[in-house]
Amino acid sequence: MDLRDVKEFCIDTSKYIITIFVVIFIIVYVASVQQVVGSSMSPTFKNQDILILNKMSNTYERFDIVVINYKSSKLIKRIIGLPNETIEYNNNQLYINGKRIEENYEFTNTEDFTYTTKNGEYFVLGDNRSVSFDGRLLGPVDTVVGKTWFFFKKAWFK
C-alpha cells in the first residue's frame, strides 16, 4: 500500500463520516419522519401516512398540523388555539375569542367546551373530533415537536 492509496482511503472515509454526521444533525435538529397511527386526523391523513416534520420552526399559526409529545408517544394534531385565546365549541361551531371561525371540514357530535390558553400555550384538536384524543382531554400544550413540512399518502405506495 503506497501513500496515494492511504490518502484516497482517508478522503473516502472522511466523506462517509461527514455524510453520517450531516444526516444525524438533520434527524436530531432539522427534520424527522412521523407515521400516522389511527384515525384521529382523518380525513386529512389516514392510518400509516408519513409526515416529514420541520423541527426548527418555533412559530405556529392556526390550523398548522403539528406533532406533540404525550407520555411515550407522539400525537399528530391541528393547532386550533394560539397563545392567550379562548377557544370554544358550541353546537359544532368553532369560536375563537367569541368570533366564529369557519372550518373546511364537517364535524358532528363534538361536545361543547371552552378553554383559554396562556402565553406560550397552544390548543390542539384532531380532525376526526369524534375519536381524537386531543386538547379536550390534554388541555393546552406548550411544547411542539415539529410542524408538518410535507407528507406521503400510504395509497401512493400501492
Side-chain angles (χ1 to χ4, degrees):
M1 196 177 211
D2 66 7
L3 189 58
R4 264 191 209 150
D5 292 338
V6 171
K7 187 176 178 181
E8 278 185 40
F9 174 78
C10 289
I11 291 171
D12 288 344
T13 303
S14 296
K15 289 177 186 177
Y16 288 115
I17 290 172
I18 290 169
T19 301
I20 289 168
F21 279 114
V22 167
V23 169
I24 290 171
F25 177 82
I26 288 171
I27 290 170
V28 171
Y29 296 106
V30 178
S32 69
V33 177
Q34 180 68 45
Q35 184 175 33
V36 176
V37 177
S39 62
S40 72
M41 285 302 292
S42 180
T44 306
F45 299 121
K46 305 288 188 217
N47 191 42
Q48 298 183 347
D49 286 350
I50 303 292
L51 307 180
I52 306 298
L53 303 177
N54 175 355
K55 293 170 69 173
M56 303 235 354
S57 180
N58 59 2
T59 57
Y60 306 102
E61 298 177 15
R62 189 176 333 281
F63 303 122
D64 282 349
I65 297 173
V66 298
V67 172
I68 61 171
N69 285 321
Y70 175 72
K71 296 187 179 181
S72 62
S73 61
K74 298 194 182 322
L75 304 177
I76 301 165
K77 303 297 170 197
R78 185 179 298 278
I79 291 179
I80 300 298
L82 301 173
N84 304 309
E85 291 186 330
T86 298
I87 301 90
E88 179 181 8
Y89 249 88
N90 191 347
N91 293 324
N92 292 313
Q93 296 296 314
L94 172 63
Y95 297 87
I96 304 291
N97 296 329
K99 180 181 175 190
R100 184 171 179 225
I101 305 293
E102 290 294 325
E103 295 184 279
N104 294 332
Y105 29 79
E106 182 180 324
F107 300 102
T108 58
N109 301 325
T110 300
E111 291 184 31
D112 292 351
F113 64 84
T114 301
Y115 285 97
T116 299
T117 57
K118 297 176 185 167
N119 194 32
E121 293 182 333
Y122 298 90
F123 189 80
V124 296
L125 293 174
D127 286 356
N128 187 356
R129 310 243 161 97
S130 60
V131 300
S132 181
F133 180 80
D134 52 33
R136 294 170 291 177
L137 298 169
L138 297 170
V141 298
D142 58 5
T143 303
V144 175
V145 174
K147 177 167 60 171
T148 302
W149 246 340
F150 50 91
F151 63 92
F152 302 96
K153 294 280 189 184
K154 176 186 170 191
W156 296 347
F157 299 104
K158 289 185 177 183

